[in-house]
């Protein structure tokens, strides 16, 4: 229950302030926005409201929206509102009002009225929401919180994050927002969201996605609301910022992105470009391009959207948003009411806003409309035309895309070809007439008009498949397309129109079996890009015609075109083609059955392609072969072809390649004969060559290119004439045909050159001639196709042809051509060589040719001499040489780039040639004076790839003679390029791994150059290069030195010098890692010490270098560090030798350099290393394991100790070196654990050299002082070490050594003495022996005393046997320390320290003579002026004695030592009284009550101090101030005692003291009585003032004596005046605190009043105003009686007629004070006063007259009327 109540109270304290804690309330109230806290603390709410309400009124004048708050938070009632008294609901309502007001006023906080208004809110309604508690430190310190703090809290504190968002939204909805608020919110929330998303990237992918979606859910409501506030555009932009960060830092599902797009769309407007940018970013992240209707409607509402998108495209990616908009418009076509949306889509496509690769998606969408019949059902011509225009626009863009890219032809091409002309003729039909019943006549008229344009006959038309242009085909085709239009079918006019068309004389239908004119027309129609309905109608027409049983002509001319029909994209065309083939199949089968095949004539055999073609060039099938081709090949895949337009191509290609075929599931698979396949292949190839129909040519080429060879006939041999013919064709004519048949020229040329097989030499020659002769732009497409073909078949080309082509390409690339000439050849050649896989032989050929070419411009001097020539001093003399130089540079550059692209790792045979190229480049560089750094990097990079691949490989034997490392050294020496240097170093490092013997003789120049360049760079790559070089070269160097048994330091000294020289230039962040890596590669055990010595020698007295060196050493294990220190010290010892050895190699001492100075510079590093925490920790762990490493560490430690001792011996003449050695020794001792260290110390202390022993002991003592934790082994070892230390005290004559030993004994006793008290006591006995306590050395005596004090604290009561010996001697030491001629503060304080220890642990020993002597010595010390420190030490000891010693013993000692205290002076007396008071304060009341006798005795002795000191018989050492200070302390002690006594106990004490006071000492010595009374009355002043009314009755003791003193006292001497003043002040305090009417009693009042009034006659001797008059006034106040007042007034009035002006003045002043103090009570006696006042107005003394007028004015002020009438 208690805990529950405590918890509730804690909650109350947390929720509200303590009403009784006034200080806290004052502090809270003083917290102000505009006022200083001290001023704010004095203001109440009323005054504050006046100030703030006036400011609020000014705000209302600025903005009327503020007036609504006048009835709430700025009303009069608001002054009374207290949150602590309000309910939770009322507080919530108040918070809403406050937030609204703050939101409105925030934008005006720079105005003073706004600040004052907010001041009212802060002072009256202060409240800090929990989410903002993190601001409390900044509020208290009046500091502005940094933004990163707010961002961090918003990131991790959900309440703050939500609160900020809600606040900004609330302010924005109310219209109170302002730019600063929105910018703060946007920046903070954006950073917070980014931080949240960064934190969500931890864990599995599912967890990450869940975390990211949690962030989206948290911010999404805010974004929805913010983006919907169109009247707050700044807030919308802020939301877009947050949204952009959200989508760029997370991977969101399409559903989430769609929701975000809907939210953005809700806030779009005409001018909101930021919203469009954000929407575009969301669309880019979204996988699907389908947008919601909300997004589409929002986008379509924006005017000139295409222009806005075009403007944004330059900076942002809007392609996917534009695509989604276009697809949305197409998808909404059925519900479209006008053409504006379709126009917008067309404009966006024409403006290239939609990515070209996305065009097929839009085309597919339109195709779905056209195929579903929606286009025909949409009766509005304008809408149909708009869709057709969009389709044509897409077609145009797609064609241009295919021509400029490598996008292959796919469904899109087929769809375009299948619908283009359908749309065209629909447009024409719509332009001529509408397709409803009202316009049938107009349609018929249009058809008739087309028919009239057709001539009746033609004389030169043999076949419409002729190579020559036809004059009537277009007019015939237009009429046929109109007749075949579905519109005619809907009105039953199609059949009549078609019949009319077929009967045209010009077609010569009756001769269709004898000449190809009629059939060729329909073949060309279905192979041309006309509407699907027209093409299908053309095929169906032939089907009807060929159904006649009288067909006696072989129509195999139709077969290639039927194949094209089966491959058409349009389903109705494929069905019609299948129907036609089905029609032909039985006819040919009948011919075969009836054995009539040899009688059948092939239709169009000599005329099908016109008269210009020779019939022998066209290969025909026999009727039997044609029948088999139809039956076994085409019919076998008929059903699949109708479903898949690509199937027929795969099927025929498979048949020609010899694949098995089957006509049904039940039949057996069989392979057609080669002769038959060859015949079919020849048949198709000949038609491909001769047909003018490019669509069919293109279709069959794609099939035939899948067949490499049939029988003995290869594809290249069969189709090479077509390729050769294409090379000579006119470009304009070809483009016309491509446009007519809607064939992509680029794809057609690819199929054309695809006929060339890599195994055919003739075909490859044709390809070479195309590339070699392809100049200008006329043959550009064929040239591009040729290059692509070569890339595709390169791996199959013969090696000799590969080399031929490679040389050709290289010549085209490096040729010095004019601008824009042969750009296509050059670019394509580059692409080809970079794409194909070049063999090693080709690359070798290229590289070998480089040397031959470079010989043309090299000068005659040898290469070695040329390298010695200064760079830039040679130049190419002539223009021809310049051209040659440019050519060779282009050649070298491209070849090297080509080698790099070909992955040199696969061509290790190039290594020799590349080194030769490297040499040629350096020679060219010398000759030309041109920096060829790029070529050098390329060459070395290629060599590097090869060499790296050879590392660790034994398969390839390298020709070391071909490798020239000297070239790499030249690069390092002669270039300033970082890239060249880095690449050269990497290559050197790789060569060192593969062939180290080639590199090692050049190691030093390498590192010299590296230290001057690469080492100084701060980039990461340079660091990698340096690291790689060190890893490869240095280990090989060390290995070589070991093998040759050479001196390691000598062999690597130059290397070390290089790194040390570059140290100051190395970036600081890389220094440690770099030197650590260097030491690791060399071996830290052997080289680290040398590196450290070189560093400190190079940079002497640089503390940063010392610390760096220590950090470098500290990165290794303990044994390595100690071994380094040992070798380091060995070098320093070697320096001091007459003939140094190893030090001369590293740091030769020459000139004026002194070896001792050098060593002094070196040793500080050893100190820092040995003090390292890591080394200490590592050493401790290693020794704790006690393994082999521990043995090594102990050995090294001993060696280092010996070295330090040797250095110390040699440093006696050099103080700096000596000091350094001492610090090293201290650090070394601090390295080992205590138990390990003591074993070493025993060996060192056995040394006879006191200096070393002293240094070791001092270090050990410091170690003991600073060690906080020690093990049990340390305890045992230290205690066991005490005998050896005590032996030093006994045997040694060296005082410093004894001091050090004693300090160690002190530390050991303090830390471990409790573990073995006997050892400590034995040590203490020895320590305090007669020899050690000899007074010859005070400092040692001090140390002994302090050590003994420590031992007493450790062993406590066990020390008792030694106290009788130690304590008297301690007193002796204390006595000596305060003697005049031998004062010693240290000894003084040490003695008191020991005494204090005894008092703490054995206080009962210090009694009797021990205590009295302690007090006497303390008094003597107090009077000896030994200093502040000694005073403090003594006073602390006396306080301790007052607390610890039994009080009766203390009181007895105080009684015995009072006189000694007085004799020693004021300080001794003050300390005596302090001890007395301290004892009383610690005792209970019962003890004080029982011992009042001795206490009274002590007080009486103290009260007699004044008499004794001022007596004429005493030689006083006190002055008046000293006595007064002592009496003050005495009175405090007395008051302290009185507080512990009741009245019954105290009254006898008081009575005794009073009797002692008035008891005359001697009738002759009146001064003695006066001094005692002076002390007593001074005590009464303190007595009455402290105890007040409780002790007023004690005044009866003094009334008679007061009367006597005031009556008999003589005010002529100063002592009498002091007594008189003490009596007056005592009476005043007694009058002041009278609450029991003690002084109203006449027996008390009368004697005192009479004697006091008589004192007025002494006006000439005393100050009435300050001394007497206040006492008389106090008496009048205390004796509050009319009679007493009348008695006093009458006596005073009588003195107004005195002859002495001073007496009259004193009387007037007395009356004035009484009138002022008592007021009307005193003025009741005014009638008696008036005569005297009247007389005094004309007094002879001006002072009296002036004071009388003051009195009159005071009376008039009190009465409120004038006395003039009364005084007349």
């Amino acid at each position: 229950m208690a805990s529950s109540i405590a918890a509730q109270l804690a909650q109350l304290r947390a929720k509200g302030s303590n009403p009784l804690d006034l200080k806290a309330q004052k502090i809270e109230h003083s917290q102000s926005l505009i006022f200083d806290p001290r001023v704010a603390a004095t203001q109440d709410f009323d005054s504050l409201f006046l100030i703030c309400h006036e400011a609020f009124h000014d705000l209302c004048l600025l903005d009327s929206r503020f007036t609504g708050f006048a009835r709430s938070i700025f009303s009069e009632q608001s002054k009374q509102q207290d949150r602590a008294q309000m309910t939770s609901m009322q507080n919530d309502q108040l918070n809403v009002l406050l937030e609204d007001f703050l939101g409105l006023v925030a934008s005006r906080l720079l105005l003073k009225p706004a600040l004052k208004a907010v001041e009212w809110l802060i002072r009256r309604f202060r409240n800090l929401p929990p989410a903002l508690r993190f601001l409390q430190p900044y509020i208290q310190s009046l500091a502005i919180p940094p933004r990163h703090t707010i961002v961090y809290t918003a990131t991790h504190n959900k309440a703050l994050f939500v609160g900020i968002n809600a606040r900004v939204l609330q302010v924005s909805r109310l219209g109170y927002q302002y730019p600063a608020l929105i910018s703060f919110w946007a920046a903070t929330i954006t950073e917070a969201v980014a931080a949240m998303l960064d934190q969500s990237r931890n864990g599995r992918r599912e967890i990450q996605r869940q975390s990211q979606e949690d962030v989206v859910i948290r911010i999404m409501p805010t974004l929805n609301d913010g983006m919907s506030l169109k009247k707050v555009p700044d807030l919308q932009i802020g939301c877009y910022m947050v949204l952009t960060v959200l989508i760029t830092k997370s991977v969101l599902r399409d559903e989430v992105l769609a929701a975000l797009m809907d939210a953005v769309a809700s806030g779009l407007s005409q001018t909101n470009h930021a919203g469009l940018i954000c929407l575009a970013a969301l669309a880019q992240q979204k996988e699907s391009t389908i947008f919601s209707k909300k997004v589409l409607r929002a986008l379509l509402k924006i005017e000139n959207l295409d222009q806005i998108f075009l403007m944004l495209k330059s900076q942002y990616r809007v392609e996917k948003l534009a695509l989604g908009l276009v697809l949305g418009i197409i998808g909404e076509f059925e519900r479209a009411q006008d053409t504006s949306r379709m126009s917008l889509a067309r404009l966006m496509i024409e403006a290239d806003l939609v990515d070209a690769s996305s065009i097929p998606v839009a085309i597919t969408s339109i195709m779905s409309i056209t195929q579903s019949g929606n286009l025909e059902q949409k009766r509005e011509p304008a809408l149909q035309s708009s869709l057709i225009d969009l389709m044509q626009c897409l077609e145009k863009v797609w064609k241009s895309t295919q021509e400029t890219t490598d996008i292959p032809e796919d469904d899109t091409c087929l769809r375009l070809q299948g619908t283009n002309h359908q749309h065209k003729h629909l447009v024409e039909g719509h332009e001529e007439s509408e397709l409803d019943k009202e316009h049938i006549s107009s349609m018929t008229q249009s058809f008739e008009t087309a028919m009239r344009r057709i001539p009746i006959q033609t004389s030169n038309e043999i076949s419409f498949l002729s190579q020559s242009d036809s004059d009537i085909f277009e007019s015939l085709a237009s009429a046929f397309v109109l007749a075949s239009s579905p519109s005619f079918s809907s009105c039953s006019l199609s059949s009549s129109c078609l019949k009319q068309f077929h009967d045209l004389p010009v077609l010569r239908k009756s001769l269709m079996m004898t000449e190809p004119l009629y059939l060729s027309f329909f073949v060309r129609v279905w192979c041309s890009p006309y509407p699907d309905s027209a093409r299908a109608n053309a095929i169906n027409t032939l089907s009807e015609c060929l159904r006649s049983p009288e067909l006696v002509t072989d129509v195999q001319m139709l077969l290639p075109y039927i194949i094209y029909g089966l491959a058409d994209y349009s389903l109705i065309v494929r069905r019609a083609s299948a129907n036609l083939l089905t029609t032909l199949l039985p006819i040919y089968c009948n011919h075969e059955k009836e054995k009539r095949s040899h009688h059948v004539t092939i239709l169009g055999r000599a005329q099908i392609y016109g008269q210009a073609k020779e019939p022998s060039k066209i290969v025909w099938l026999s009727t039997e072969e044609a029948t088999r081709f139809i039956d076994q090949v085409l019919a076998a895949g008929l059903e699949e072809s109708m479903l898949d337009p690509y199937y027929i191509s795969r099927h025929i290609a498979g048949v020609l390649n010899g694949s098995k075929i089957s006509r049904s599931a039940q039949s057996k698979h069989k392979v057609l004969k080669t002769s038959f396949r060859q015949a079919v292949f020849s048949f198709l190839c000949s038609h491909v060559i001769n047909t003018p129909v490019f669509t069919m040519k293109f279709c069959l080429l794609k099939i035939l290119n899948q067949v490499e060879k049939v029988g003995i006939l290869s594809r290249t041999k069969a189709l090479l004439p077509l390729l050769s013919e294409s090379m000579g064709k006119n470009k304009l004519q070809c483009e016309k045909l491509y446009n007519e048949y809607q064939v992509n020229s680029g794809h057609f040329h690819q199929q054309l050159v695809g006929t060339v097989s890599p195994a055919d030499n003739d075909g490859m020659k044709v390809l070479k001639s195309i590339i070699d002769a392809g100049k200008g732009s006329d043959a550009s497409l064929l040239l591009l196709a040729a290059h692509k073909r070569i890339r595709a078949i390169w791996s199959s080309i013969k090696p000799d042809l590969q080399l031929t082509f490679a040389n050709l390409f290289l010549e085209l690339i490096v040729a010095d051509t004019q601008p824009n000439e042969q750009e296509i050849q050059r670019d394509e050649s580059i692409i080809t060589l970079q794409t194909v896989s070049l063999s090693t032989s080709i690359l070798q050929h290229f590289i070998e040719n480089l040397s031959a070419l470079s010989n043309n411009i090299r000068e005659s001097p040898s290469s070695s001499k040329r390298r010695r020539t200064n760079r830039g001093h040679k130049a190419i003399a002539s223009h021809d040489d310049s051209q040659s130089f440019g050519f060779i540079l282009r050649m070298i550059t491209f070849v090297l780039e080509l080698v790099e692209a070909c992955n040199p790792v696969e061509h290790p045979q190039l290594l020799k040639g590349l080194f030769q190229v490297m040499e040629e480049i350096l020679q060219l560089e010398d000759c030309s004076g041109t920096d060829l750094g790029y070529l050098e990097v390329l060459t070395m990079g290629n060599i590097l790839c090869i060499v790296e691949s050879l590392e660790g490989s034994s398969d390839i034997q390298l020709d070391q003679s071909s490798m020239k490392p000297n070239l790499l050294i030249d690069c390092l020496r002669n270039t300033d390029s970082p890239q060249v240097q880095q690449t050269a170093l990497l290559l050197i490092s790789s060569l060192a791994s593969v062939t180290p013997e080639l590199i090692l003789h050049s190691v030093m120049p390498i590192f010299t150059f590296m230290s001057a360049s690469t080492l100084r760079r701060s980039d990461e790559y340079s660091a990698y290069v340096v690291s790689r070089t060190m890893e490869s070269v240095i280990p090989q160097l060390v290995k070589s030195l070991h093998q040759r048994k050479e001196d390691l330091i000598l062999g690597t000294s130059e290397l070390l010098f290089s790194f040390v020289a570059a140290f100051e230039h190395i970036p600081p962040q890389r220094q440690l890692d770099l030197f650590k890596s260097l030491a690791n590669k060399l071996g830290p055990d052997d080289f680290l010490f040398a590196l450290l010595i070189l560093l400190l020698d190079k940079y002497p007295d640089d503390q940063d270098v010392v610390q760096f060196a220590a950090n470098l050493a500290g990165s290794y294990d303990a044994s390595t560090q100690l071994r380094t220190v040992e070798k380091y010290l060995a070098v320093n010892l070697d320096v001091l030798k007459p003939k140094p050895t190893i030090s001369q190699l590293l740091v030769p001492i020459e000139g004026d350099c002194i070896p001792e100075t050098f060593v002094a510079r070196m040793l500080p590093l050893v100190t820092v290393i040995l003090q390292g925490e890591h080394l200490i920790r590592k050493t401790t762990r290693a020794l704790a394991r006690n393994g082999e490493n521990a043995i090594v560490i102990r050995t090294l430690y001993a060696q280092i100790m010996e070295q330090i001792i040797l250095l110390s011996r040699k440093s006696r003449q050099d103080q700096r070196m000596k000091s350094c050695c001492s610090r090293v020794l201290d650090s070394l001792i601090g390295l080992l654990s205590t138990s390990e260290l003591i074993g070493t110390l025993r060996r060192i202390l056995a040394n006879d050299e006191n200096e070393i022993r002293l240094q070791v002991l001092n270090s050990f003592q410091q170690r003991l002082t600073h060690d906080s934790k020690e093990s049990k082994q340390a305890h045992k070892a230290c205690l066991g070490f005490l005998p050896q230390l005590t032996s030093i005290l006994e045997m040694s004559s060296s005082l410093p050594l004894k001091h050090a030993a004693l300090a160690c004994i002190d530390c050991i006793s303090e830390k471990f003495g409790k573990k073995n008290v006997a050892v400590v006591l034995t040590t203490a006995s020895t320590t305090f022996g007669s020899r050690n306590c000899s007074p010859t050395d005070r400092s040692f005596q001090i140390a002994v005393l302090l050590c003994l004090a420590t031992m007493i604290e450790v062993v406590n009561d066990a020390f008792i046997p030694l106290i009788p010996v130690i304590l008297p001697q301690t007193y002796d030491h204390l006595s000596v320390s305060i003697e005049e001629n031998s004062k010693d503060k240290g000894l003084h304080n040490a003695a008191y320290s020991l005494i204090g220890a005894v008092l703490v642990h054995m206080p009962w020993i210090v009694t009797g003579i021990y205590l009295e002597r302690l007090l006497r010595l303390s008094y003597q010390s107090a009077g000896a002026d030994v200093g502040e420190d000694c005073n403090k030490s003594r006073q602390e000891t006396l306080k301790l004695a007052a607390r610890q010693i039994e009080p009766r013993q203390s009181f007895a000692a105080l009684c015995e030592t009072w006189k000694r205290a007085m004799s020693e002076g004021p300080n001794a007396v003050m300390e005596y009284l302090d001890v007395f008071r301290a004892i009383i304060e610690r005792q209970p009341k019962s003890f004080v009550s029982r011992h009042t006798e001795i206490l009274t005795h002590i007080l009486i002795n103290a009260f007699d101090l004044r008499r004794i000191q001022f007596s004429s018989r005493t030689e006083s050492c006190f002055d008046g101030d000293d006595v007064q200070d002592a009496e003050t302390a005495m009175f405090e002690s007395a008051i302290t005692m009185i507080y512990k006594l009741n009245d019954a106990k105290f009254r006898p004490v008081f009575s005794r003291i009073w009797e002692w006071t008035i008891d005359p000492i001697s009738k002759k010595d009146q001064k003695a009585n006066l001094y005692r009374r002076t002390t007593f009355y001074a005590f009464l002043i303190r007595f009455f003032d402290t105890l007040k009314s409780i002790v007023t009755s004690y005044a009866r003791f003094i009334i008679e004596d007061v009367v006597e003193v005031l009556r008999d006292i003589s005010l002529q001497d100063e002592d009498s005046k002091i007594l008189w003043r003490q009596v007056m002040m005592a009476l005043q305090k007694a009058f002041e605190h009278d609450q029991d009417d003690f002084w109203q009693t006449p027996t008390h009042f009368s004697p005192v009043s009479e004697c006091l009034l008589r004192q007025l006659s002494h006006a000439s001797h005393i100050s009435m105003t300050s001394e007497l008059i206040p006492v008389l006034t106090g008496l009048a106040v205390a004796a509050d009686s009319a009679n007493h007042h009348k008695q006093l007034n009458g006596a005073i009035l009588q003195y107004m007629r005195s002859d002495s002006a001073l007496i009259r003045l004193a009387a007037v002043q007395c009356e004035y004070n009484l009138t002022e103090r008592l007021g009307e009570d005193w003025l009741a006696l005014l009638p008696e006063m008036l005569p005297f006042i009247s007389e005094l107005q004309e007094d002879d003394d001006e002072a009296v007259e002036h004071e009388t007028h003051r009195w009159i004015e005071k009376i008039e002020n009190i009465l409120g009327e004038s006395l003039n009438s009364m005084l007349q």
Side-chain angles (χ1 to χ4, degrees), residues 1047-1056:
D1047 185 87
L1048 297 179
I1049 299 299
L1050 179 63
T1052 58
S1053 58
E1054 190 172 350
L1055 169 66
L1056 297 175

mmCIF file of all heavy atoms in Angstrom, residues 1047-1056:
data_model
loop_
_atom_site.group_PDB
_atom_site.id
_atom_site.type_symbol
_atom_site.label_atom_id
_atom_site.label_comp_id
_atom_site.label_asym_id
_atom_site.label_seq_id
_atom_site.Cartn_x
_atom_site.Cartn_y
_atom_site.Cartn_z
ATOM 1 N N ASP A 1047 73.545 -7.424 -45.076
ATOM 2 C CA ASP A 1047 72.987 -6.705 -43.930
ATOM 3 C C ASP A 1047 71.634 -6.114 -44.313
ATOM 4 O O ASP A 1047 71.506 -5.386 -45.305
ATOM 5 C CB ASP A 1047 73.932 -5.585 -43.495
ATOM 6 C CG ASP A 1047 73.435 -4.907 -42.237
ATOM 7 O OD1 ASP A 1047 73.762 -5.385 -41.137
ATOM 8 O OD2 ASP A 1047 72.701 -3.904 -42.360
ATOM 9 N N LEU A 1048 70.615 -6.457 -43.518
ATOM 10 C CA LEU A 1048 69.257 -6.040 -43.858
ATOM 11 C C LEU A 1048 69.092 -4.526 -43.766
ATOM 12 O O LEU A 1048 68.475 -3.894 -44.636
ATOM 13 C CB LEU A 1048 68.262 -6.731 -42.928
ATOM 14 C CG LEU A 1048 68.195 -8.255 -43.013
ATOM 15 C CD1 LEU A 1048 67.180 -8.803 -42.021
ATOM 16 C CD2 LEU A 1048 67.851 -8.715 -44.421
ATOM 17 N N ILE A 1049 69.595 -3.938 -42.721
ATOM 18 C CA ILE A 1049 69.450 -2.499 -42.536
ATOM 19 C C ILE A 1049 70.181 -1.745 -43.637
ATOM 20 O O ILE A 1049 69.659 -0.791 -44.218
ATOM 21 C CB ILE A 1049 69.975 -2.076 -41.149
ATOM 22 C CG1 ILE A 1049 69.172 -2.786 -40.048
ATOM 23 C CG2 ILE A 1049 69.864 -0.571 -40.979
ATOM 24 C CD1 ILE A 1049 67.698 -2.470 -40.052
ATOM 25 N N LEU A 1050 71.390 -2.190 -43.958
ATOM 26 C CA LEU A 1050 72.149 -1.541 -45.015
ATOM 27 C C LEU A 1050 71.447 -1.678 -46.354
ATOM 28 O O LEU A 1050 71.396 -0.735 -47.142
ATOM 29 C CB LEU A 1050 73.559 -2.137 -45.071
ATOM 30 C CG LEU A 1050 74.482 -1.569 -46.151
ATOM 31 C CD1 LEU A 1050 74.721 -0.088 -45.895
ATOM 32 C CD2 LEU A 1050 75.802 -2.323 -46.187
ATOM 33 N N GLY A 1051 70.879 -2.849 -46.589
ATOM 34 C CA GLY A 1051 70.233 -3.075 -47.870
ATOM 35 C C GLY A 1051 68.927 -2.337 -48.047
ATOM 36 O O GLY A 1051 68.494 -2.110 -49.182
ATOM 37 N N THR A 1052 68.298 -1.972 -46.967
ATOM 38 C CA THR A 1052 66.994 -1.297 -47.075
ATOM 39 C C THR A 1052 67.035 0.137 -46.580
ATOM 40 O O THR A 1052 65.988 0.784 -46.493
ATOM 41 C CB THR A 1052 65.943 -2.062 -46.259
ATOM 42 O OG1 THR A 1052 66.364 -2.141 -44.890
ATOM 43 C CG2 THR A 1052 65.731 -3.456 -46.801
ATOM 44 N N SER A 1053 68.206 0.629 -46.242
ATOM 45 C CA SER A 1053 68.278 1.971 -45.650
ATOM 46 C C SER A 1053 67.751 3.036 -46.602
ATOM 47 O O SER A 1053 67.022 3.945 -46.201
ATOM 48 C CB SER A 1053 69.728 2.283 -45.263
ATOM 49 O OG SER A 1053 70.573 2.193 -46.403
ATOM 50 N N GLU A 1054 68.111 2.927 -47.868
ATOM 51 C CA GLU A 1054 67.636 3.928 -48.826
ATOM 52 C C GLU A 1054 66.123 3.879 -48.979
ATOM 53 O O GLU A 1054 65.460 4.905 -49.115
ATOM 54 C CB GLU A 1054 68.322 3.714 -50.180
ATOM 55 C CG GLU A 1054 68.062 4.863 -51.155
ATOM 56 C CD GLU A 1054 68.891 4.740 -52.421
ATOM 57 O OE1 GLU A 1054 69.802 3.874 -52.455
ATOM 58 O OE2 GLU A 1054 68.630 5.480 -53.363
ATOM 59 N N LEU A 1055 65.587 2.667 -48.930
ATOM 60 C CA LEU A 1055 64.125 2.520 -48.953
ATOM 61 C C LEU A 1055 63.488 3.222 -47.753
ATOM 62 O O LEU A 1055 62.519 3.980 -47.884
ATOM 63 C CB LEU A 1055 63.773 1.032 -48.967
ATOM 64 C CG LEU A 1055 62.300 0.663 -48.720
ATOM 65 C CD1 LEU A 1055 61.442 1.169 -49.857
ATOM 66 C CD2 LEU A 1055 62.155 -0.850 -48.582
ATOM 67 N N LEU A 1056 64.034 2.974 -46.587
ATOM 68 C CA LEU A 1056 63.490 3.605 -45.381
ATOM 69 C C LEU A 1056 63.641 5.114 -45.450
ATOM 70 O O LEU A 1056 62.739 5.863 -45.065
ATOM 71 C CB LEU A 1056 64.205 3.053 -44.144
ATOM 72 C CG LEU A 1056 64.035 1.559 -43.870
ATOM 73 C CD1 LEU A 1056 64.884 1.132 -42.692
ATOM 74 C CD2 LEU A 1056 62.574 1.222 -43.613
#
